Amino acid sequence: MWGPSHFCLILCLWACLDALPVAVDKTKVSPPVEDLEPPESVDTGLHYDRYLREVIDFLEKDPHFREKLHNTDMEDIKATNDLENFDKERHEDFKRYEMTKEHERKEHLKTLDEEARKKEEEHYEEMKKKHADHPKINHPGSQDQLKEVWEEADSLDPNEFDPKTFFNLHDTNGDGYFDEQELEALFTKELEKVYDPTHEEDDMMEMEEERLRMREHVMNEVDTNRDRLVSRDEFITATNRKEFLEPDGWETLEQNPMYTEEELREFEQHLAREEQDLNLRSNELLKQREELERQQGQLNAQKMELQQAVEHMERLKTQKTESPVQDKVPFAAEMLPGDSQPLSHGHQQDLPAHS
């Protein structure tokens, strides 16, 4: 599996080897071969491929190069697997999105009366029909599809379509490969036939899923070494196949639903279980909150009682400190009945005794 990184590695190693001085026994040098032509540019094809093969054969004799090449392949394989898993997750996410959308639509219908529900269903069917009423979609990666890009995006004569020129025009980074982004850009014209962001009936999430499906389809047909890149040679080879010249029709998402009725029922059952679990959890949290509020009330009551007890102790302490001084005098002044002036102790002895 050879990609641009491998080619750069080969050139660097070749330059290093070429720079090393080598002792040559001129008596044993073979005469030059007359029919060995110098390597030509990438665009010429066969001669360059033979030259590159000779360089690779020579470098593969070096054990360090073979080890590096093996490790690089393993890294590429791991990256490829990661990207494939990412695409799979995107498909699963979209399926959940579509089923959630349908589930919510059905739940909304349950909240309507009979007349409103009937109008909603009629509007839904009308939007489906309107969305499906679009121009013919060309098979992704076919001659017809690429010719439309050639004519409408590149403003070139469709009668002069040339695969090699087309590849060079749309290999935007010029590395000799179509990567996933460059491939997906080729399908914009087709997608615009089906999806318009200003139309109620068109879902842009569905458009991106359609773009992904188109890219995967072309990769499966053209990317023969499964490195998730379409090389110039792979592309040119594919343009000579019958599938390129006479392709089958392309089924869009409305013709090829992402889920079955059984999958939708299972999904709704799963949602119901999740909702039940959430309700149980919510009830538990509510009970915990009520218990915490009860405990907080008890703590507040205890705090208030303690505060009242402290205030009572402070009052008793203050009262004890401010007791009348006369409680501590040994001879208290006495008052005669009907007299407002107290008598002295001497006068009290002269008073007559009452019988």
Side-chain angles (χ1 to χ4, degrees):
M1 179 173 63
W2 294 95
S5 59
H6 299 151
F7 179 61
C8 293
L9 174 62
I10 291 171
L11 290 181
C12 292
L13 292 172
W14 176 256
C16 293
L17 291 173
D18 189 51
L20 295 175
V22 180
V24 179
D25 186 352
K26 296 184 179 180
T27 61
K28 297 182 180 180
V29 174
S30 302
V33 181
E34 297 297 336
D35 61 349
L36 181 60
E37 299 180 11
E40 301 181 12
S41 66
V42 175
D43 292 336
T44 59
L46 295 177
H47 296 296
Y48 179 80
D49 289 343
R50 184 175 63 182
Y51 168 71
L52 183 58
R53 184 68 257 171
E54 290 174 356
V55 173
I56 293 170
D57 290 342
F58 177 80
L59 291 176
E60 282 182 337
K61 296 176 182 178
D62 183 85
H64 299 292
F65 174 77
R66 287 201 307 272
E67 181 181 358
K68 176 64 177 176
L69 181 60
H70 174 74
N71 293 336
T72 302
D73 285 345
M74 291 303 101
E75 292 171 1
D76 288 346
I77 290 172
K78 183 179 183 301
T80 299
N81 290 337
D82 290 342
L83 290 173
E84 288 176 352
N85 291 334
F86 178 69
D87 284 347
K88 183 178 179 181
E89 290 175 2
R90 283 181 60 186
H91 286 306
E92 291 299 321
D93 288 343
F94 178 74
K95 179 187 286 190
R96 283 191 292 270
Y97 166 78
E98 287 286 279
M99 290 191 292
T100 301
K101 186 168 66 172
E102 176 63 12
H103 171 71
E104 291 177 350
R105 186 187 74 84
K106 290 165 62 177
E107 290 298 307
H108 173 64
L109 291 176
K110 294 178 182 178
T111 65
L112 305 177
D113 58 37
E114 185 176 354
E115 183 178 356
R117 185 163 55 250
K118 182 179 179 182
K119 289 182 179 179
E120 189 72 19
E121 288 281 24
E122 289 175 353
H123 178 71
Y124 174 72
E125 293 299 328
E126 180 184 353
M127 291 298 99
K128 281 179 61 177
K129 183 177 179 182
K130 192 174 181 180
H131 172 70
D133 185 19
H134 55 71
K136 175 188 174 184
I137 299 297
N138 290 312
H139 191 97
S142 67
Q143 179 176 244
D144 292 337
Q145 190 255 311
L146 299 185
K147 272 189 175 182
E148 277 196 10
V149 178
W150 174 274
E151 180 179 9
E152 298 180 18
D154 302 331
S155 301
L156 297 173
D157 187 347
N159 297 320
E160 297 179 0
F161 176 77
D162 176 62
K164 189 174 183 179
T165 303
F166 181 91
F167 186 94
N168 292 334
L169 283 173
H170 294 276
D171 175 21
T172 54
N173 61 5
D175 65 352
Y177 292 85
F178 277 162
D179 59 28
E180 295 176 354
Q181 289 72 33
E182 290 168 333
L183 269 181
E184 290 183 357
L186 300 179
F187 310 135
T188 300
K189 287 295 178 183
E190 296 302 316
L191 294 169
E192 288 175 350
K193 297 176 183 179
V194 186
Y195 299 96
D196 186 331
T198 64
H199 292 171
E200 177 188 354
E201 67 273 12
D202 297 336
D203 188 334
M204 295 301 104
M205 290 285 289
E206 292 181 2
M207 183 184 75
E208 292 308 312
E209 174 67 14
E210 193 76 77
R211 190 191 302 273
L212 174 58
R213 292 178 66 233
M214 289 180 171
R215 186 252 291 169
E216 287 181 328
H217 176 76
V218 172
M219 281 289 190
N220 288 335
E221 287 192 338
V222 182
D223 179 23
T224 54
N225 64 357
R226 297 294 181 261
D227 63 351
R228 295 180 74 89
L229 295 170
V230 175
S231 68
R232 181 183 286 102
D233 288 342
E234 287 175 331
F235 179 77
I236 299 302
T237 300
T239 60
N240 294 318
R241 295 174 185 158
K242 180 181 179 181
E243 293 79 9
F244 177 78
L245 303 173
E246 301 175 7
D248 297 329
W250 177 256
E251 290 187 348
T252 53
L253 281 173
E254 70 267 13
Q255 299 167 304
N256 189 20
M258 289 294 297
Y259 59 87
T260 64
E261 288 298 323
E262 178 62 26
E263 287 176 324
L264 179 60
R265 282 194 296 271
E266 292 178 357
F267 177 73
E268 290 178 327
Q269 291 171 1
H270 175 71
L271 290 180
R273 289 192 297 270
E274 283 189 339
E275 184 176 1
Q276 184 179 8
D277 292 341
L278 287 175
N279 289 335
L280 290 173
R281 181 60 178 162
S282 177
N283 291 334
E284 291 176 1
L285 291 175
L286 181 60
K287 291 178 180 179
Q288 291 177 10
R289 177 182 175 180
E290 293 173 349
E291 177 62 20
L292 288 174
E293 290 176 348
R294 186 187 66 79
Q295 294 177 4
Q296 184 65 43
Q298 290 179 344
L299 289 174
N300 291 338
Q302 293 173 1
K303 181 179 178 181
M304 185 173 294
E305 291 177 359
L306 179 60
Q307 184 176 357
Q308 291 174 350
V310 171
E311 291 174 353
H312 180 67
M313 294 295 293
E314 290 293 333
R315 285 196 300 270
L316 291 177
K317 182 179 180 181
T318 302
Q319 291 173 0
K320 184 176 181 180
T321 304
E322 297 176 353
S323 296
V325 177
Q326 59 268 27
D327 291 344
K328 299 181 180 181
V329 177
F331 299 103
E334 297 183 6
M335 301 285 290
L336 287 175
D339 194 349
S340 60
Q341 296 294 325
L343 295 176
S344 65
H345 185 70
H347 289 154
Q348 292 178 14
Q349 296 178 353
D350 296 333
L351 291 176
H354 296 280
S355 55

